[in-house]
Amino acid sequence: MDGSNTMEKFYSIWKRTFGCGEADDFHCTVTQGSQKFTSFSKAQILTQLRPLTVVVHGPAGVGKTTLAKKWMLDWTQDTRSESLSSTLYLSCKELRRQGPCTFAELISKQRPEVQQAGPEVLAQEQKLLFVIDGFDELRVPSGSLLHDICGDWEQQKPAPVLLGSLLMRKLLPKATLLVTTRPGALRQLRLLVDQPVFIEVEGLLEQDRREYFLQHFEEEDQALRAFEAMRGNPALLRLGSAPAVCWVVCTCLKLRMDEGADPALTCRTATSLFLRFLCGQFPPAPGRSAPQHLPAPLRALCVLAAEGVWTQTSAFDRGDLGRVGVQESDLRPFLDKNLLQVDTDCEGCYVFLHLSVQQFLAAVFYALDSGERAAGDGGRGDTEDVQALLSKEERLKNPDLTPVGHFLFGLANEERARELEATFGVRVSLGLRQELLKGLSGGHGPFSCRTDVKEAVSCLYESQEESLVKEATGHVREVSLHLQSPVDLAQSAFCFKHCGDLRRVSLRVEKGVFLENEGASEPDTWVESSNKNLSFLDVNHSFLSHSSVRILCDQITRVTCHLQKMVIKNVSPTDAYRDFCLALIGKKTLTHLTLEGSVHGDKMLLLLLCEALKHRRCNLQYLRLGSCSDLTQQWDDFFSALKINQSLQSLDLTASELQDEGVKLLCLSLRHPKCFLQRLSLENCHLTEVCCKELSSVLMVNRRLTHLCLAKNNLGDGGVRLLCEGLSYPECQLQTLVVCQCNITRRGCKHLSDLLQGGSSLTHLDLGLNPIATGLRFLCEALKKPDCNLRCLGLCGCSISPFCCEDLASALTSNQRLEALDLGQNTLGQRGTTALLEALKRSPCRLKTLRLKTCEASARTQKLLEELRDSNPTLTIDWKAGGASRPPYCDFLF
């Protein structure tokens, strides 16, 4: 049987297994190399693999083993194959307990005839199908199987080594291999197998789960109510892809609904459901306390569950039972209730119904007080450490620990603790809460910068214990949330409504978190989450709904809301900007507002901002209105409001299509004596030299304007000349001028040089990304003059050559005011860099920050840098500054 026949045979088995040839009918994805296919037949056509390795992967309990055994049966019964075809099943759970042996001994356990018929088997190995079940259960150190390889049929080796050698084709290289595994072991498995075909099995589809509920419940209405309750908890719904979990949910909810309970409350958290399921299986007799025969077996079972989670194994045997002090007969109640099952693949072993049941029982182990734990295990060292269980490092190494931590928080709920004690007679530790709070912060304080906020929120929500949440979040002042689902919203709102000291919130909301249907009710979480101390709200890159915007606006307008800074950036729907502006009219606490994003052509937005600015209670000091393209009339109305408003100090219109005509209207207000604006940014507003005459006239008469940014506008040298005319007037008080990327050349530098030599008020000048080249010589002349007041000069990316550095070095030796100099993105070379450093070494100056772009520093440069550090410790030299970002001194608007 060659490789193509093997693939053809596998395809025929695939069709018989699912009743068709399409993989996606079973909700599977077939992957070969870097390509994905929707059907096994397409993979068959493209592959020429000899021999064939198939990896079936998926979460726990979705039927990977059942599927593999079905294929084993079909392999031997396939009418198109030779009669000598054979299958061998290797359980990794069992191999883990197997001592050293030969490969012949290993497979002869299932097929005794193989050991005697070794040569015949080798001769027909292409007819063999090996099923390696549960590779994730093998649990060997990552990469270890790569270093110990055996190709000898009769050489004695540890079982995992033999299995690794089989996977790497050192033993029976022509055999067909079918491997099942959970996703966590895929990375290690990929190192061992060559070009496998991957089949992802996701278990029951949502429709299949619905059908399961309909079959389990006698009444359709009751079944659908129960199913909707499970759908309301996405974590439970995902677990429901495993039939065993569907059975747990159905069993629990049927019992609860028969008692008249609301299934939605039971399904609110996974802990609630699994606890009610567990307790529901052992109801105490009316008027009686917890059964006396259950505590000891339960404690022992919880110990084994915890150990199994740490070692990532689900099976235990008689030896494990003896070690924890119970006998097989003690397990009968749990076997009868299907919590435990006899492992049919590993002789003498027991397994938990599902991984989630094991994880829940492991959490019960950690929840018990120290006396209860000691009675169950006799002390197990690190296994008992709650902090290790909750640590991020351990969870990254072993993802199975994460659900255990969630369940443990759920068991910290006082009502659930009482229910556990009433059913089983075991006590939850009184110190559990403090252990959880300590683990939540990782020892760095609640919700510190090192805390995984999403994980912490999920854990606290699982507890449903408001007193615990208050203690955990009571001192939180700042939080950044990325809401990706309605569950994220509900969990975050539940936790942060208790943050009495919360000051800053940054929020990003993905599409689908809020309902698009206007008629549908939004969660009440926004209303519940109001906070009187909240002073900063940043909503960016968010998809909101109309009703959520209304709710948020309602909170803003309340007198108990003391919001001071608000950022609304790239949000939808677009009319949300208008709603926010309307809500902010008359908000006297608001001092900073940013509106940026989809505000093009919104005629109402500027009108509403006009009303806000003209309102007598307006205290707005900073306003950023980005990417606005309103008509001239709207700009005229908006700028007119600047003559009335007496609080606004900073206005940022970056990337707005203002154009020269709009600047003309703005300048009318800037020249008005009642305009109090101090800082203005018109970056990238499509301006030309034409507008500079108007701006110059403003500089001549306005005594309040101190900061002006005109970056990314095509002003040219003519525009600089006009600006310098206004800057030269004694009434001008401008301190900072940013003209980055404005097409300024050496002629513009000459105008600026003349201005600076005349005692101009300018202290900060940024000429970055302008091709000034030799124009630097004019600026150096100004720097040498005692009347030059420049403290910060930005020349990033200005085409400055090494030859210009001599003039700059000379200027630095005589200037006693310059504190920051940016020469990043200029190729100064060894010559230029040395000249500057030598000058700074020879003559002390006030320079505190120097940015340079240099290649690997020579020995001479390194020595100069070290000498400068010693002689001038206050000087910071960033000699790898190749980026285009502007230095902090240009970010003047805040």
Side-chain angles (χ1 to χ4, degrees), residues 514 521-529 545-558 580:
F514 290 110
S521 61
E522 294 288 353
D524 294 331
T525 49
W526 286 79
V527 178
E528 296 174 355
S529 300
S545 66
H546 294 288
S547 51
S548 64
V549 171
R550 283 198 301 269
I551 293 171
L552 188 54
C553 289
D554 178 63
Q555 293 297 310
I556 292 171
T557 57
R558 295 189 179 188
F580 287 128

Side-chain angles (χ1 to χ4, degrees), residues 686-699:
H686 307 275
L687 310 181
T688 68
E689 176 184 338
V690 175
C691 74
C692 292
K693 184 175 182 180
E694 293 290 339
L695 288 170
S696 181
S697 68
V698 170
L699 296 172

Side-chain angles (χ1 to χ4, degrees), residues 808-871:
L808 186 56
S810 175
L812 290 176
T813 58
S814 58
N815 185 283
Q816 293 299 311
R817 287 194 174 94
L818 199 65
E819 297 177 359
L821 176 61
D822 183 5
L823 296 172
Q825 285 203 61
N826 289 293
T827 307
L828 306 181
Q830 186 66 40
R831 174 182 173 181
T833 303
T834 303
L836 291 173
L837 297 180
E838 287 280 9
L840 291 172
K841 178 186 172 185
R842 285 195 309 269
S843 177
C845 62
R846 296 187 61 183
L847 201 66
K848 296 178 182 178
T849 303
L850 174 62
R851 298 177 79 237
L852 298 169
K853 175 191 174 183
T854 65
C855 299
E856 290 298 321
S858 65
R860 175 61 180 154
T861 303
Q862 289 283 13
K863 183 179 179 183
L864 283 172
L865 286 170
E866 292 174 6
E867 291 174 351
L868 269 174
R869 291 190 192 101
D870 294 336
S871 63

Side-chain angles (χ1 to χ4, degrees), residues 604-651:
M604 286 296 298
L605 183 61
L606 283 184
L607 293 176
L608 290 170
L609 282 172
C610 288
E611 294 303 313
L613 289 172
K614 290 188 289 187
H615 198 280
R616 60 184 178 82
R617 299 177 68 185
C618 178
N619 286 316
L620 200 63
Q621 299 172 18
Y622 169 87
L623 173 61
R624 170 171 169 75
L625 185 61
S627 304
C628 194
S629 59
D630 288 81
L631 301 175
T632 302
Q633 182 58 49
Q634 277 78 48
W635 282 122
D636 191 19
D637 295 337
F638 176 72
F639 293 141
S640 296
L642 300 179
K643 303 174 186 177
I644 301 172
N645 181 280
Q646 297 185 10
S647 64
L648 194 66
Q649 299 174 7
S650 298
L651 176 62

Side-chain angles (χ1 to χ4, degrees), residues 293-313:
H293 67 286
L294 286 178
L298 177 67
R299 285 191 294 262
L301 202 58
C302 292
V303 170
L304 294 172
E307 288 182 344
V309 169
W310 277 99
T311 58
Q312 292 183 268
T313 182

Side-chain angles (χ1 to χ4, degrees), residues 308-507:
V309 169
W310 277 99
T311 58
Q312 292 183 268
T313 182
S314 58
F316 57 91
D317 58 19
R318 296 181 183 90
D320 296 319
L321 293 179
R323 181 166 48 81
V324 296
V326 296
Q327 300 178 3
E328 290 182 78
S329 59
D330 295 326
L331 298 181
R332 180 48 53 191
F334 301 102
L335 287 165
D336 291 342
K337 299 296 184 179
N338 276 332
L339 289 168
L340 282 180
Q341 296 175 343
V342 175
D343 191 349
T344 56
D345 301 321
C346 189
E347 187 177 353
C349 290
Y350 299 91
V351 292
F352 294 93
L353 171 65
H354 186 262
L355 175 62
S356 57
V357 173
Q358 179 181 356
Q359 290 166 330
F360 177 75
L361 291 172
V364 174
F365 165 76
Y366 285 104
L368 300 179
D369 66 26
S370 56
E372 299 282 1
R373 288 196 220 170
D377 75 60
R380 314 209 91 68
D382 291 342
T383 307
E384 289 194 22
D385 189 358
V386 173
Q387 300 312 311
L389 171 72
L390 298 176
S391 74
K392 186 175 183 178
E393 294 76 14
E394 293 293 346
R395 287 187 283 112
L396 286 173
K397 290 189 291 186
N398 183 357
D400 288 349
L401 295 175
T402 298
V404 180
H406 288 194
F407 282 133
L408 188 56
F409 270 88
L411 292 171
N413 181 285
E414 292 183 7
E415 181 181 343
R416 294 172 189 163
R418 287 194 297 269
E419 186 173 358
L420 189 63
E421 183 174 357
T423 304
F424 294 101
V426 292
R427 299 183 306 278
V428 170
S429 171
L430 295 176
L432 177 60
R433 174 179 295 209
Q434 292 308 314
E435 287 280 355
L436 294 177
L437 290 173
K438 182 180 177 182
L440 194 66
S441 65
H444 305 293
F447 292 92
S448 70
C449 59
R450 302 186 189 183
T451 302
D452 184 341
V453 174
K454 189 168 184 176
E455 175 67 13
V457 166
S458 182
C459 287
L460 290 172
Y461 181 81
E462 190 71 24
S463 75
Q464 291 294 299
E465 186 64 64
E466 294 198 358
S467 59
L468 176 63
V469 176
K470 285 179 181 178
E471 193 169 352
T473 63
H475 300 290
V476 176
R477 292 194 171 193
E478 181 175 348
V479 69
S480 179
L481 300 173
H482 183 188
L483 306 182
Q484 297 174 290
S485 69
V487 171
D488 289 345
L489 172 64
Q491 292 179 347
S492 297
F494 176 79
C495 293
F496 293 111
K497 69 181 179 181
H498 299 297
C499 296
D501 208 24
L502 190 62
R503 308 293 175 88
R504 296 173 62 93
V505 173
S506 294
L507 190 63

Side-chain angles (χ1 to χ4, degrees), residues 781-801:
E781 290 176 4
L783 289 172
K784 294 177 182 178
K785 302 297 182 181
D787 289 337
C788 179
N789 293 311
L790 272 190
R791 297 203 309 268
C792 299
L793 177 59
L795 299 172
C796 176
C798 285
S799 305
I800 298 172
S801 68

